[in-house]
């Protein structure tokens, strides 16, 4: 499998273990050999495809494992993506005309990925970020639905033209954490003030 020169490029070999090569390079009988390969078909952090195919979950796993679609056609992830077919909607095959496409990153920070995407005839923008609850995508000033593609990635449909696309990670657990933190701070302040200003009650008894 790794001898496929169109898919893999051998970069280097080395030997190491958990107990050696800490401060200096050293040889030890317990070291294990490793080989580093470059995947020549690896996709960039984000790209635009011209085809989106809807398949069932088993067909998607087989397609990604064998690089072949159910009809025998070669699956090229640089040109197409697969998404799971809805049980209630008939299978669809979305195709966009080929043309100029470009993806530029403006910012990659904690929870924000800012992209400028340009496509002549429209397409589907794929982000190689794990599809996970809490991700939102905004194109211009409008939020759009994120679609799960290729099992693990996320994507969004693009109309023809240039678009400012922002992926944001804002899960509900994050807001819950903020609320609990604010509640804790407020409780500490209230308890601190109550201790600084205790109410003293004097009782006088007469015999």
């Amino acid at each position: 499998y790794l001898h496929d020169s169109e898919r893999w490029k051998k970069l280097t070999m080395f030997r190491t273990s958990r107990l050696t090569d800490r401060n200096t390079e050293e040889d030890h009988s317990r070291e294990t050999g490793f080989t580093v390969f470059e995947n020549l078909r690896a996709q960039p952090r984000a790209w635009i495809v011209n085809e989106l195919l809807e398949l069932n979950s088993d067909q998607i796993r087989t397609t990604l494992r064998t690089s072949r679609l159910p009809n025998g056609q070669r699956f090229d992830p640089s040109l197409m993506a697969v998404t799971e077919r809805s049980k209630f909607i008939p299978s669809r095959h979305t195709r966009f005309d080929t043309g100029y496409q470009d993806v530029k990153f403006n910012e990659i920070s904690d929870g924000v990925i800012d992209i400028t995407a340009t496509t002549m005839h429209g397409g589907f923008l794929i982000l190689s970020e794990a599809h996970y609850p809490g991700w939102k995508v905004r194109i211009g000033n409008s939020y759009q639905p994120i679609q799960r593609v290729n099992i693990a990635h996320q994507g969004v449909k693009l109309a023809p033209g240039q678009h400012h696309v922002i992926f944001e990670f804002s899960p509900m657990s994050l807001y819950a954490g903020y609320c609990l933190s604010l509640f804790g701070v407020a409780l500490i302040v209230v308890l601190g003030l109550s201790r600084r200003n205790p109410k003293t009650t004097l009782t006088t008894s007469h015999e």
Side-chain angles (χ1 to χ4, degrees):
Y1 179 67
L2 292 174
H3 288 294
D4 183 356
S5 60
E6 295 183 358
R7 177 70 182 273
W8 304 100
K9 178 182 179 182
K10 186 177 178 180
L11 296 182
T12 186
M13 298 178 63
F14 63 93
R15 295 178 58 84
T16 189
S17 72
R18 292 185 299 173
L19 304 176
T20 60
D21 301 332
R22 294 298 184 182
N23 297 318
T24 58
E25 178 70 25
E26 52 185 318
D27 293 325
H28 196 279
S29 59
R30 294 184 178 180
E31 289 187 337
T32 302
F34 294 90
T35 304
V36 180
F37 289 87
E38 178 186 359
N39 184 356
L40 300 177
R41 297 181 188 173
Q43 299 302 313
R45 185 96 185 239
W47 70 100
I48 299 174
V49 299
N50 300 104
E51 290 186 65
L52 182 65
L53 299 91
E54 294 186 358
L55 306 173
N56 64 44
S57 57
D58 291 337
Q59 290 174 327
I60 291 175
R61 285 192 292 268
T62 301
T63 295
L64 297 179
R65 187 177 67 252
T66 63
S67 295
R68 292 287 175 183
L69 294 169
N71 62 4
Q73 178 187 352
R74 179 174 177 268
F75 173 72
D76 187 346
S78 66
L79 303 175
M80 59 184 68
V82 287
T83 185
E84 188 166 357
R85 182 172 56 211
S86 171
K87 297 179 180 179
F88 309 102
I89 302 176
S91 177
R92 293 180 298 176
H93 182 181
T94 305
R95 186 192 299 270
F96 302 89
D97 292 335
T98 58
Y100 175 77
Q101 296 174 344
D102 183 59
V103 176
K104 293 181 179 179
F105 285 90
N106 304 315
E107 176 188 359
I108 301 178
S109 59
D110 189 17
V112 176
I113 300 177
D114 190 326
I115 296 172
T116 298
T118 305
T119 171
M120 182 180 294
H121 301 294
F124 202 82
L125 176 65
I126 308 292
L127 179 68
S128 60
E129 190 76 30
H131 185 276
Y132 191 81
W135 279 100
K136 299 178 181 179
V137 61
R138 178 160 45 94
I139 301 180
N141 296 320
S142 176
Y143 282 95
Q144 302 294 328
I146 289 181
Q147 195 159 348
R148 182 177 180 177
V149 297
N150 300 341
I151 293 181
H153 297 155
Q154 47 186 309
V156 63
K157 184 179 179 180
L158 296 177
Q162 186 178 84
H163 306 278
H164 186 201
V165 185
I166 300 179
F167 288 87
E168 303 169 323
F169 185 60
S170 55
M172 291 301 298
S173 57
L174 184 63
Y175 292 113
Y178 287 153
C179 293
L180 290 174
S181 298
L182 290 174
F183 176 77
V185 171
L187 185 61
I188 292 173
V189 171
V190 170
L191 292 176
L193 293 175
S194 64
R195 289 186 177 183
R196 290 181 58 186
N197 302 292
K199 294 183 180 179
T200 303
T201 304
L202 298 177
T203 302
T204 303
S205 59
H206 297 280
E207 296 182 354

